[in-house]
Amino acid sequence: VEAGAATDLVALADLRLGELVETSGATAEARALYGAARDALRTAPESATRRAREAEALLRLGHAFRREGDLARAEREIEGALVLYRAAAHDEGLALALYEAGVIALLRARYDDARTFLDEGLALARSRGARQAEGALLAWRGILLQETNDIEGAIAQHAEAAQAFREVQNPHREGSALYYLAGAYLERGDVRSAEPILARALEHMKRVGVPRYEALIEGARAVVLARSGRLAAARDALAAADAAAAACQSEATLLA
């Protein structure tokens, strides 16, 4: 194997291992793997593939920093990913980087910027038939609509996102979209609609083993149960949320 190809394979392995590690809740360990991939790729021969791989490393670093609450560092990494994806003409990667940029802008309450990033990414994903990227962008457009007091629009977007993830058979992301859909129903005061959606979301997350979403979903279930007077069951759900969150010690906002 030529040196450049070997470097690319090692970097790819670090990226994929980092994804698995991050899903388990260990963001710091994942960042170390993403950083190793980025550093290795910077020594590889110049090519469109190398630029796209390096962009992915920055994208995943930004995502991990965002989960840890370091939005300034996350934004810097995502800005770098956007530049590289545009240079490599990598449309699906660019759509995902625009998604991450939109999420960060939304979390910083820069709603106009968030809408611009998410709309550009959604148009790009749809033009390329990239349903997984489309689902991610739809989900956060739904959250943006919730933040700007359009609950009915948010419900429609979350339902569309869940359908996109169902079509590509991604139970992790479908479960997350269902969690956000249930949250929109809760915000509307519709506990009856939220409860079965949360049950389905939790079933998906337990099957694939994603502790951060198990914690979030159990927390939302506690709200549903408490509002319907089932206080003992609500306490059990909160205990389950605490147990799941124990795997996510680097996510201060999740623990809060």
Side-chain angles (χ1 to χ4, degrees):
V1 180
E2 292 183 4
T7 298
D8 182 68
L9 287 172
V10 169
L12 182 59
D14 281 337
L15 289 171
R16 297 298 168 262
L17 182 57
E19 285 183 80
L20 293 172
V21 169
E22 188 179 351
T23 298
S24 74
T27 55
E29 291 86 341
R31 283 195 288 103
L33 289 161
Y34 300 148
R38 174 203 58 201
D39 294 343
L41 288 163
R42 285 175 175 169
T43 67
E46 171 63 23
S47 70
T49 299
R50 193 210 85 172
R51 286 196 301 273
R53 287 264 198 271
E54 189 179 346
E56 183 185 350
L58 295 177
L59 173 62
R60 296 197 179 282
L61 277 166
H63 177 75
F65 279 120
R66 191 250 296 171
R67 281 183 57 182
E68 293 173 351
D70 189 346
L71 298 183
R73 183 66 183 273
E75 192 166 37
R76 288 197 296 274
E77 301 292 355
I78 296 305
E79 286 171 354
L82 286 169
V83 169
L84 289 170
Y85 274 130
R86 291 189 194 280
H90 193 295
D91 291 339
E92 187 167 359
L94 178 58
L96 290 170
L98 288 164
Y99 153 80
E100 196 66 45
V103 172
I104 293 166
L106 194 158
L107 293 174
R108 295 185 127 183
R110 299 198 315 250
Y111 298 135
D112 289 342
D113 289 343
R115 186 173 291 105
T116 297
F117 285 129
L118 295 173
D119 285 353
E120 182 186 354
L122 186 59
L124 188 57
R126 283 175 167 164
S127 73
R128 296 295 181 266
R131 287 291 274 164
Q132 184 144 297
E134 182 181 353
L137 288 149
L138 284 166
W140 275 84
R141 282 180 95 238
I143 294 169
L144 175 61
L145 290 173
Q146 283 178 257
E147 288 294 310
T148 52
N149 300 312
D150 181 359
I151 299 301
E152 297 307 314
I155 287 171
Q157 294 277 265
H158 291 315
E160 193 176 348
Q163 178 60 35
F165 290 128
R166 189 175 306 121
E167 287 178 11
V168 298
Q169 299 182 344
N170 187 330
H172 171 192
R173 298 309 299 269
E174 182 185 349
S176 71
L178 290 171
Y179 161 72
Y180 292 120
L181 175 60
Y185 276 117
L186 279 176
E187 194 168 341
R188 194 174 73 176
D190 188 349
V191 174
R192 181 174 295 181
S193 295
E195 186 167 7
I197 296 170
L198 286 170
R200 189 152 46 115
L202 186 60
E203 181 182 334
H204 281 317
M205 290 306 170
K206 284 186 176 296
R207 180 152 56 94
V208 297
V210 184
R212 74 182 312 271
Y213 273 107
E214 288 185 45
L216 290 167
I217 294 164
E218 290 284 19
R221 286 185 66 245
V223 173
V224 168
L225 292 163
R227 286 186 182 178
S228 59
R230 290 170 282 172
L231 299 184
R235 282 192 290 270
D236 289 344
L238 283 175
D242 282 340
C248 308
Q249 293 300 310
S250 62
E251 295 188 61
T253 53
L254 174 67
L255 298 176

